Amino acid sequence: MNRQSRLSALDLKDIKIEGAFFGGCLELIRKLAIPYQWEALNDRIEGVEKSHCLENFRAVAGLTDDSFHGMVFQDTDISKWLEGAAYSLETKADPELEALCDQAIELIVGAQGSDGYLNTYYTLVEPEGRFTNLREGHELYNAGHLIEAAVAYHNATGKDALLQAAVRLVDYIDGRLGREPGKLRGYPGHPEIELALFRLYRATGEERFLRLACYFIDERGREPYYFDIESEKRGNTRIFPESIHFDRKYFQTHLPVREQRSAEGHAVRAMYLYSAMADVACETGDEELLSACRALFDNIVSRRMYLTGSIGSAELGERFTCDYDLPSDAGYSETCASIGLMMFANRMLSIDRKGMYGDIVETALYNTVLAGMARDGKSFFYVNPLEVWPEACEKNPNRRHVKPRRQGWFGVACCPPNIVRTVTSIGQYIYAHEDSSLYINQYISSSARMVFGGADVSLRMKTEYPFDGLVSLTLDCPSPAEFDVFLRIPAWAEKFSVEINSTKIAGNAADGYFRIGHTWGRSDSITVSFEMKPCFVIANPMLRADIGKLAIRRGPLVYCLEQADNGENLHEIAVLESALLVSAFEPNLLGGTVSVSFTGYRLKPGRESAPLYSVLDDRSKPEYLPCTLKAIPYFLWANRGLGEMSVWIRTL
Amino acid sequence: MNRQSRLSALDLKDIKIEGAFFGGCLELIRKLAIPYQWEALNDRIEGVEKSHCLENFRAVAGLTDDSFHGMVFQDTDISKWLEGAAYSLETKADPELEALCDQAIELIVGAQGSDGYLNTYYTLVEPEGRFTNLREGHELYNAGHLIEAAVAYHNATGKDALLQAAVRLVDYIDGRLGREPGKLRGYPGHPEIELALFRLYRATGEERFLRLACYFIDERGREPYYFDIESEKRGNTRIFPESIHFDRKYFQTHLPVREQRSAEGHAVRAMYLYSAMADVACETGDEELLSACRALFDNIVSRRMYLTGSIGSAELGERFTCDYDLPSDAGYSETCASIGLMMFANRMLSIDRKGMYGDIVETALYNTVLAGMARDGKSFFYVNPLEVWPEACEKNPNRRHVKPRRQGWFGVACCPPNIVRTVTSIGQYIYAHEDSSLYINQYISSSARMVFGGADVSLRMKTEYPFDGLVSLTLDCPSPAEFDVFLRIPAWAEKFSVEINSTKIAGNAADGYFRIGHTWGRSDSITVSFEMKPCFVIANPMLRADIGKLAIRRGPLVYCLEQADNGENLHEIAVLESALLVSAFEPNLLGGTVSVSFTGYRLKPGRESAPLYSVLDDRSKPEYLPCTLKAIPYFLWANRGLGEMSVWIRTL
């Protein structure tokens, strides 16, 4: 098997995010979210659940008399925060933030044993229990996030204290787990270390990290079943009593991974696993594993993904369920799972060079991931429903996971720092390149520097995306450089035009990209214009929850009806397929956004006092009156107080 | 406050259930269900969950070395079985069954302490824990079912061993709980003893039982909150860890009961409580309490009840949630809760003498309660959904409570014996009387004897109800007797006619009853004919789950579409409001039943392979083709293998 080529991302330090949309978002995260989350990790925020994360490291260091608090995976909170802070530092120096990072790293490194082991839960609570419960114990998951933070911080600052600690920890793990005699043939209950090991391999060039990642991926789901073996060995004790209900699919261990064809189980675990599978498959030229990745991706996007790019249809197990089971009001749609989907899709894009993967990155990013954070940067959604009736969320315990308001912090606080690390590293999704090809995958205002065949290239992208489809690129090559620019043409863009230096050029997109071959000089310009008109979207008829309904999309944005614009009882609203959708930029709406207005129908009032059930007759027959409705981008919902929301609208 | 009059039921021994419908059902229960459940209670059925119920009594008696197994309320399984067996014995002698009952009673009585206390869990497991956890411990719930069994068995056989044990137990309880100094001011977490105490009071005439029932009802929900007091006292230990999530509404303790106006919490608990409230309110002439009962009843039937007469919208807490929250595919709709609703409605009927209460008894009985048992009498539904997609029930853990197949037994086996005791005592719902009025509340083939003003009256009712609306009554009074016969005219019966001795008599129904004053002699006949034509039913527009949908009803029966008749993907089916519904008796369908056929529409096939989401255009626009559809009575669903089912049908 030979290594396959793939596109490379630019280094984050070579990209500057600009413009109001992501530039503003990044500013919010730098000024507000990162400092806020540092306070939260230090248990200094009043009125929200305590993290205990740093306190646990202090306890290991003997700096407090306290014992362990929180979940077995509590260590990851600081790792994810560090990773996000590192990306921020990589693009913008901030000595104060760097000092906080160094302080955190000192604590973490100080908690490492002389043998390299590093985990506050097992060190404080179960020192004899290391690697006895890989199914539930999250040791390798914790290690994975630590490795990611270490690689990111080393990239950003050149400092290697955490990287060395990570390598020592991996060496310890490598010495205990594997196929060699005397080692445990285990693998993590929660995948994450696989993709982290791949990053470590790329950062250090050391093949042993790739080999260990391959081992974890390949060993997963084989017989005899390791999680049963370790369970029996330790007398079947459990960390999470409820995990007795979790089947093999929950852990993606129902089959060896290369035999898996449908996305199963806990959605975040699945995304992290598939991302690593893609990395490893490409690096090792493993076509069989790559086929599995393609099949899994296809299963997700053609049968198991919400219109908003969210995944996971059930709260219990936070998981995939079965094809076409996508309830709007009771699904899970975790923010982290959509971040994972972006990660998986971006890897597949770099391998297969197809625009459809970029479309999924775009869908997940502009709808679910951005919806995960409030406009003030201080509150977050874990669950991103497509329909909300606040009273039922409050009073029906089976919908208690669906929150109609974003929350300040969580006992399991994976989503807030995950959003931070995604936005601070958003540059990795914009540009990609190989040999003499430059791919523009996401349309985000930014400037970038790169080197093509020894020639320096500066590039600047300006756009009001996702609200407007005009994108201007200027390239500046001090010495002429010949290379291809590939522009992703989103599937939603039925019409688009491309100009070079104000001259329109003809051509079609292939595999989702429009290719422009050119010898670029000083101040060349590319202008792409995507027609962004609002349209109705209809679901595949197998999708029961959405049958007889339509949704609204404009460009990359999925729209929703909110009570704030349309009154309560959104379910009484219906629409004709022929309705004309009119979009308008409203500078005073939600910080400036494009709304979509149309004529719909509302049930004639007066029947609310009728009996619960009536015989259908002329009196009880529903009558509808025309009304004007307004939809807003889904990612902006729940920023104007408590109210109903719905993405799908019934047709008349 | 003065006692109010209420209708009396006839003694069960004076009623003989006949005809194929309920006569056949009763035979099935006598021959099959009662012996089967006896075996189950003795842990002698292979392949189903063990009951341990009688084994626990044997352990208390020292007959085995074993300790307690099962739930804290396991004792009730034998009580409910005994109660059902007693009703069977009351209407049909069966020495073999009586011998089994006596054997069970000997075991139960043998487990009673010398102080009168009787409960296998607390005797075997927590002898010091009596009455320390009324919130979760179910001691008073167990006592309630024991009392009900004792009263029923005494009525049936005249034997009083169990009745004496019940009285001793109540005396013990009375000595420990109450407002008097030195007593605990507690009340049960699970209501049941209140209505049982009322039955004991009626059976014995002893006022102290009524007083204790009144105390439990009135003390409930007062401040200071008793369940907090007892919890603190015992150091906040728990029997059911998950019960920490149960709020006061779950226990109907959020307000003093007479201030409650909406049906809240665990649906079975609510029904048992409200039934007792009605009993006590009437007996004591407590108008305030009666108003609460009327308001609670109205809240259920006008806002919180499924079309099938089932209640409880959420699995977690098996409970009411909020007005109009009635999801078809994820509700709870427990069989026992509909039995409880029948009990509550029948009490309200006897107090208010309004036919609408009988309508609810009928709706719950012929739809949900009968659906609870398979046609073979051996398997049961706990949950009675209005829409089932078997694959999602299996693969979406949040729907795991919705079973597409009836089951043989349950770890918590409340429903099977509850169906048995309901069917064996169905006579209590048919006739009611006072002074010179005879009420015919349910139309069930039967013969009955009664005494009116000293005159013997024999009565025979023949009908093919619920499949046909013709009911023939013959009365035989050896000496002429003048009294009124009140015939319940169901709200669904838009047209009906009444004849006496083949002469049509004019008149209207008032309060849901048609009154016939007459001097009855030898062989008078009454013929009532209700027009039973199938019709569409529409839900109140506030009921989100059913908006834009119709259901089919014919007479008392709600219909459903099953995959067996209509193929899979029932969600792709739609109907026009103008569709003509045609009913036909099909002798070979499900043992002989009336089906309803009509022309509907099915989505044109071919779009199943489309992308998950498409822009609405001429190609993606849904097209429908006409098709013939067949609906069957809901209570007969899931008797022909695994498949989809739906009560509500989308309109085009």
Side-chain angles (χ1 to χ4, degrees):
Chain A
M1 289 189 289
N2 294 313
R3 178 175 169 174
Q4 293 193 1
S5 74
R6 65 190 277 185
L7 303 180
S8 304
L10 301 182
D11 284 348
L12 288 182
K13 62 175 169 296
D14 293 329
I15 307 172
K16 188 170 184 307
I17 304 298
E18 298 167 340
F21 197 84
F22 266 106
C25 187
L26 196 54
E27 264 312 285
L28 189 69
I29 276 179
R30 282 191 170 124
K31 287 209 176 130
L32 231 146
I34 292 176
Y36 175 86
Q37 292 184 12
W38 173 257
E39 294 302 300
L41 293 173
N42 279 284
D43 306 331
R44 291 192 291 250
I45 307 277
E46 289 290 317
V48 303
E49 288 196 64
K50 280 201 179 186
S51 160
H52 304 289
C53 175
L54 290 174
E55 205 56 17
N56 291 334
F57 282 100
R58 289 191 189 99
V60 174
L63 300 175
T64 74
D65 295 337
D66 211 1
S67 62
F68 184 87
H69 293 284
M71 298 286 191
V72 289
F73 44 78
Q74 217 70 8
D75 291 358
T76 57
D77 288 353
I78 185 63
S79 296
K80 272 191 278 189
W81 180 87
L82 268 174
E83 189 188 343
Y87 299 141
S88 180
L89 291 174
E90 192 169 350
T91 47
K92 190 177 182 184
D94 181 342
E96 214 172 310
L97 177 61
E98 193 169 330
L100 291 184
C101 291
D102 289 336
Q103 189 183 324
I105 288 168
E106 202 185 325
L107 263 180
I108 296 169
V109 172
Q112 185 162 40
S114 56
D115 55 4
Y117 188 77
L118 176 44
N119 179 301
T120 67
Y121 171 79
Y122 280 96
T123 302
L124 288 168
V125 183
E126 275 198 76
E128 303 302 314
R130 291 179 187 181
F131 299 149
T132 57
N133 191 349
L134 294 179
R135 182 177 181 268
E136 298 170 51
H138 286 70
E139 285 161 287
L140 301 176
Y141 171 76
N142 284 358
H145 277 301
L146 186 117
I147 296 164
E148 285 207 90
V151 171
Y153 198 69
H154 179 252
N155 281 349
T157 63
K159 296 179 183 171
D160 69 351
L162 193 61
L163 191 67
Q164 285 185 23
V167 169
R168 279 196 303 273
L169 173 57
V170 172
D171 285 339
Y172 178 83
I173 292 167
D174 204 5
R176 297 286 307 272
L177 300 174
R179 292 208 185 85
E180 295 77 14
K183 291 187 182 178
L184 298 166
R185 277 185 82 144
Y187 43 81
H190 195 316
E192 154 65 24
I193 195 170
E194 300 87 343
L195 71 87
L197 284 169
F198 187 79
R199 290 185 71 175
L200 189 62
Y201 155 68
R202 295 275 279 242
T204 61
E206 298 197 30
E207 296 245 344
R208 70 184 197 278
F209 303 134
L210 175 64
R211 276 198 304 272
L212 188 57
C214 289
Y215 159 74
F216 284 137
I217 288 173
D218 256 338
E219 190 62 23
R220 195 169 200 87
R222 291 192 185 274
E223 295 292 345
Y225 189 57
Y226 183 76
F227 292 161
D228 285 347
I229 294 169
E230 65 166 14
S231 179
E232 203 174 321
K233 219 192 260 182
R234 71 169 186 271
N236 300 312
T237 56
R238 292 200 180 284
I239 297 169
F240 300 101
E242 69 275 20
S243 85
I244 196 168
H245 299 298
F246 295 160
D247 58 4
R248 294 188 185 190
K249 282 186 175 173
Y250 173 89
F251 297 101
Q252 296 85 35
T253 53
H254 52 295
L255 282 173
V257 296
R258 60 186 64 237
E259 293 171 29
Q260 297 185 20
R261 288 293 176 276
S262 58
E264 302 291 353
H266 188 275
V268 175
R269 294 174 199 232
M271 292 309 103
Y272 289 0
L273 173 64
Y274 305 162
S275 295
M277 284 163 60
D279 281 337
V280 159
C282 180
E283 189 68 15
T284 61
D286 186 337
E287 268 301 332
E288 195 187 33
L289 192 58
L290 202 49
S291 295
C293 291
R294 291 193 186 103
L296 291 164
F297 191 87
D298 179 66
N299 177 251
I300 295 166
V301 303
S302 66
R303 290 158 188 247
R304 300 190 177 201
M305 183 185 77
Y306 286 93
L307 179 62
T308 50
S310 67
I311 47 178
S313 305
E315 181 219 0
L316 284 167
E318 310 181 338
R319 69 187 285 167
F320 291 105
T321 56
C322 60
D323 287 349
Y324 304 116
D325 181 32
L326 295 164
S328 290
D329 57 356
Y332 205 64
S333 297
E334 185 180 341
T335 307
C336 287
S338 284
I339 290 172
L341 179 59
M342 286 173 64
M343 291 161 53
F344 179 34
N346 214 42
R347 282 161 170 79
M348 293 306 294
L349 186 159
S350 76
I351 297 167
D352 282 352
R353 301 159 180 82
K354 288 188 180 169
M356 67 159 182
Y357 296 113
D359 290 359
I360 296 299
V361 169
E362 177 178 282
T363 299
L365 171 63
Y366 284 104
N367 298 290
T368 301
V369 177
L370 290 184
M373 186 170 74
R375 289 187 59 229
D376 67 4
K378 283 188 193 168
S379 58
F380 303 89
F381 275 138
Y382 207 106
V383 170
N384 297 280
L386 274 73
E387 183 181 321
V388 162
W389 173 21
E391 189 179 6
C393 294
E394 183 197 340
K395 295 179 180 168
N396 184 329
N398 285 84
R399 296 200 200 165
R400 63 179 175 196
H401 63 291
V402 179
K403 304 289 181 203
R405 280 196 189 91
R406 293 180 184 81
Q407 296 176 267
W409 199 249
F410 303 86
V412 175
C414 52
C415 297
N418 223 345
I419 293 175
V420 167
R421 70 170 182 148
T422 302
V423 173
T424 51
S425 67
I426 198 68
Q428 68 179 304
Y429 293 95
I430 305 176
Y431 305 102
H433 64 95
E434 63 174 341
D435 309 331
S436 59
S437 301
L438 171 65
Y439 285 77
I440 314 290
N441 291 324
Q442 300 299 329
Y443 297 104
I444 293 172
S445 292
S446 53
S447 42
R449 296 175 309 176
M450 62 204 84
V451 176
F452 260 115
D456 282 332
V457 181
S458 294
L459 187 149
R460 186 156 200 193
M461 171 150 51
K462 286 183 81 169
T463 178
E464 296 299 319
Y465 212 87
F467 299 131
D468 185 84
L470 186 69
V471 182
S472 305
L473 289 150
T474 49
L475 287 94
D476 180 7
C477 308
S479 49
E482 195 184 339
F483 58 91
D484 292 341
V485 173
F486 286 83
L487 302 168
R488 180 175 62 87
I489 309 301
W492 55 259
E494 294 191 7
K495 291 183 189 162
F496 67 94
S497 64
V498 181
E499 294 176 4
I500 301 192
N501 300 327
S502 302
T503 305
K504 190 164 173 173
I505 52 171
N508 292 313
D511 280 341
Y513 282 97
F514 188 94
R515 176 174 159 272
I516 312 173
H518 193 75
T519 302
W520 309 93
R522 281 215 167 267
S523 207
D524 279 316
S525 76
I526 302 174
T527 306
V528 207
S529 181
F530 301 111
E531 189 184 70
M532 267 195 191
K533 62 172 193 197
C535 63
F536 281 125
V537 173
I538 186 165
N540 183 298
M542 295 297 283
L543 220 164
R544 286 164 200 252
D546 304 332
I547 193 107
K549 295 181 176 177
L550 295 174
I552 295 170
R553 197 172 59 194
R554 182 180 176 274
L557 297 179
V558 172
Y559 277 69
C560 68
L561 297 179
E562 267 206 311
Q563 183 174 332
D565 303 302
N566 305 289
E568 58 180 356
N569 296 325
L570 294 180
H571 67 286
E572 293 191 347
I573 285 173
V575 73
L576 290 176
E577 290 172 354
S578 57
L580 191 73
L581 301 173
V582 179
S583 56
F585 182 75
E586 297 194 46
N588 296 320
L589 181 63
L590 291 156
T593 193
V594 175
S595 67
V596 174
S597 298
F598 56 104
T599 297
Y601 294 84
R602 188 187 286 277
L603 216 52
K604 192 175 160 183
R607 298 263 321 142
E608 291 74 14
S609 57
L612 199 51
Y613 307 104
S614 313
V615 172
L616 180 74
D617 56 20
D618 285 345
R619 217 162 45 92
S620 65
K621 208 168 147 168
E623 275 182 82
Y624 286 85
L625 301 175
C627 61
T628 300
L629 301 170
K630 186 197 276 192
I632 61 155
Y634 171 80
F635 81 87
L636 288 169
W637 87 276
N639 276 297
R640 293 177 293 173
L642 192 68
E644 296 175 31
M645 182 278 291
S646 186
V647 167
W648 291 95
I649 312 166
R650 204 157 43 89
T651 50
L652 266 193
Chain B
M1 289 189 289
N2 294 312
R3 175 176 170 171
Q4 293 194 1
S5 74
R6 65 190 277 185
L7 303 181
S8 304
L10 301 183
D11 285 346
L12 288 183
K13 62 174 170 293
D14 294 328
I15 306 172
K16 188 171 183 307
I17 304 299
E18 296 166 341
F21 197 83
F22 267 106
C25 187
L26 195 53
E27 265 311 287
L28 189 69
I29 277 179
R30 280 190 171 126
K31 287 209 176 129
L32 230 147
I34 292 177
Y36 175 86
Q37 292 184 11
W38 173 257
E39 294 302 301
L41 293 173
N42 279 283
D43 307 333
R44 289 192 292 249
I45 306 277
E46 291 290 317
V48 302
E49 288 197 64
K50 279 200 178 188
S51 160
H52 303 291
C53 175
L54 290 173
E55 204 57 16
N56 290 334
F57 282 100
R58 288 190 191 103
V60 175
L63 299 175
T64 72
D65 296 337
D66 211 2
S67 63
F68 184 88
H69 293 284
M71 299 284 190
V72 288
F73 44 77
Q74 216 71 8
D75 292 359
T76 57
D77 287 353
I78 185 64
S79 296
K80 273 193 274 188
W81 180 86
L82 267 173
E83 190 187 343
Y87 298 141
S88 179
L89 292 173
E90 193 170 348
T91 47
K92 190 176 181 184
D94 181 342
E96 214 172 309
L97 177 61
E98 193 169 330
L100 292 184
C101 292
D102 289 336
Q103 189 184 323
I105 289 168
E106 202 185 324
L107 262 180
I108 297 170
V109 173
Q112 186 162 39
S114 55
D115 55 1
Y117 187 76
L118 177 44
N119 180 299
T120 66
Y121 171 79
Y122 279 97
T123 303
L124 289 169
V125 183
E126 275 200 74
E128 304 303 314
R130 291 180 188 180
F131 299 150
T132 57
N133 190 349
L134 294 179
R135 183 176 180 270
E136 298 170 52
H138 286 72
E139 285 162 286
L140 301 176
Y141 171 74
N142 284 356
H145 276 300
L146 186 119
I147 296 164
E148 286 208 90
V151 171
Y153 198 69
H154 180 251
N155 281 350
T157 63
K159 296 179 183 171
D160 69 352
L162 193 61
L163 190 65
Q164 284 185 23
V167 168
R168 281 196 302 272
L169 173 58
V170 172
D171 285 339
Y172 178 83
I173 292 167
D174 204 6
R176 298 286 306 274
L177 301 173
R179 292 206 185 84
E180 296 77 12
K183 291 185 182 179
L184 299 166
R185 276 185 84 145
Y187 42 81
H190 194 317
E192 153 66 24
I193 195 169
E194 301 86 343
L195 72 86
L197 285 168
F198 187 78
R199 290 185 72 176
L200 188 62
Y201 154 67
R202 294 278 278 243
T204 61
E206 296 197 33
E207 297 245 344
R208 70 185 197 279
F209 304 133
L210 176 63
R211 275 199 303 273
L212 188 58
C214 289
Y215 158 75
F216 284 136
I217 287 171
D218 257 339
E219 191 62 24
R220 193 169 202 88
R222 291 192 186 276
E223 295 291 344
Y225 188 57
Y226 183 75
F227 291 160
D228 285 347
I229 295 169
E230 64 166 15
S231 179
E232 204 174 320
K233 216 192 264 182
R234 69 169 188 272
N236 299 313
T237 57
R238 293 201 179 282
I239 297 169
F240 300 101
E242 69 275 20
S243 85
I244 196 168
H245 299 297
F246 296 160
D247 58 4
R248 293 188 186 190
K249 282 186 174 173
Y250 173 89
F251 297 101
Q252 296 84 36
T253 54
H254 52 295
L255 284 172
V257 296
R258 61 186 63 238
E259 293 171 29
Q260 297 185 19
R261 289 294 176 275
S262 57
E264 301 291 354
H266 188 274
V268 174
R269 295 173 199 232
M271 293 308 105
Y272 289 1
L273 173 65
Y274 305 162
S275 294
M277 284 163 61
D279 280 337
V280 159
C282 180
E283 189 68 15
T284 61
D286 185 336
E287 269 300 334
E288 196 187 32
L289 193 57
L290 202 48
S291 294
C293 292
R294 290 192 188 105
L296 291 165
F297 191 87
D298 179 65
N299 176 251
I300 295 166
V301 302
S302 67
R303 288 158 190 249
R304 299 190 178 201
M305 184 184 76
Y306 286 94
L307 179 62
T308 50
S310 67
I311 48 178
S313 305
E315 182 219 359
L316 284 167
E318 310 182 338
R319 68 187 285 168
F320 291 105
T321 56
C322 61
D323 287 349
Y324 304 115
D325 181 32
L326 295 164
S328 290
D329 57 356
Y332 205 66
S333 296
E334 185 181 341
T335 308
C336 287
S338 284
I339 290 172
L341 180 59
M342 286 173 64
M343 292 162 51
F344 179 34
N346 213 43
R347 281 160 171 82
M348 294 306 294
L349 186 159
S350 76
I351 297 166
D352 283 353
R353 302 162 180 80
K354 287 186 178 168
M356 65 158 182
Y357 295 112
D359 290 359
I360 297 298
V361 169
E362 179 177 281
T363 299
L365 171 62
Y366 284 104
N367 299 292
T368 302
V369 177
L370 289 185
M373 187 170 74
R375 289 188 59 228
D376 67 4
K378 283 187 192 169
S379 59
F380 304 88
F381 274 137
Y382 207 106
V383 170
N384 296 278
L386 273 75
E387 183 181 322
V388 162
W389 173 21
E391 190 180 4
C393 295
E394 183 198 339
K395 294 179 179 167
N396 185 327
N398 285 83
R399 296 200 198 165
R400 65 180 173 195
H401 63 291
V402 179
K403 303 291 180 200
R405 282 195 188 92
R406 292 179 182 83
Q407 296 175 266
W409 199 250
F410 303 86
V412 176
C414 52
C415 297
N418 223 345
I419 293 175
V420 167
R421 70 172 183 148
T422 302
V423 174
T424 52
S425 67
I426 198 68
Q428 68 178 304
Y429 293 95
I430 306 176
Y431 306 101
H433 64 95
E434 65 176 337
D435 309 332
S436 59
S437 299
L438 171 65
Y439 284 77
I440 314 291
N441 291 325
Q442 300 299 330
Y443 297 105
I444 292 173
S445 292
S446 54
S447 44
R449 297 172 311 176
M450 62 204 84
V451 178
F452 259 115
D456 285 331
V457 180
S458 295
L459 187 150
R460 186 155 200 195
M461 171 150 51
K462 286 183 82 167
T463 179
E464 297 299 320
Y465 211 88
F467 299 130
D468 186 84
L470 185 69
V471 181
S472 304
L473 289 150
T474 50
L475 288 94
D476 180 7
C477 306
S479 49
E482 196 183 340
F483 59 91
D484 291 342
V485 173
F486 286 83
L487 302 168
R488 180 175 62 87
I489 308 299
W492 54 260
E494 295 191 7
K495 291 183 189 162
F496 67 94
S497 65
V498 181
E499 294 177 5
I500 301 191
N501 299 327
S502 304
T503 304
K504 192 164 171 174
I505 53 172
N508 293 313
D511 279 341
Y513 284 97
F514 187 95
R515 174 174 160 273
I516 311 172
H518 193 75
T519 303
W520 308 93
R522 283 215 164 267
S523 206
D524 279 318
S525 76
I526 302 174
T527 307
V528 206
S529 181
F530 301 111
E531 189 184 70
M532 266 194 192
K533 63 170 191 197
C535 64
F536 282 124
V537 173
I538 187 165
N540 184 298
M542 295 297 282
L543 221 163
R544 286 163 199 252
D546 304 331
I547 194 103
K549 294 181 178 179
L550 296 174
I552 295 169
R553 198 171 61 192
R554 180 178 176 276
L557 298 180
V558 172
Y559 278 69
C560 68
L561 297 178
E562 266 206 310
Q563 183 174 330
D565 302 304
N566 306 289
E568 59 180 355
N569 296 325
L570 294 179
H571 68 285
E572 293 191 347
I573 285 173
V575 72
L576 289 176
E577 289 172 354
S578 57
L580 190 74
L581 301 173
V582 179
S583 57
F585 182 76
E586 296 196 46
N588 297 321
L589 181 62
L590 292 157
T593 194
V594 175
S595 68
V596 173
S597 298
F598 56 104
T599 297
Y601 293 85
R602 188 186 286 276
L603 216 53
K604 191 174 161 184
R607 297 263 323 141
E608 291 75 11
S609 56
L612 198 51
Y613 308 105
S614 314
V615 172
L616 182 73
D617 57 20
D618 286 345
R619 216 162 45 91
S620 66
K621 208 168 146 168
E623 274 182 82
Y624 286 85
L625 302 175
C627 61
T628 300
L629 301 170
K630 186 196 277 192
I632 61 155
Y634 170 80
F635 81 87
L636 287 170
W637 86 277
N639 275 297
R640 292 177 293 174
L642 193 69
E644 295 174 32
M645 183 277 292
S646 187
V647 168
W648 292 95
I649 312 166
R650 204 159 41 92
T651 50
L652 267 194

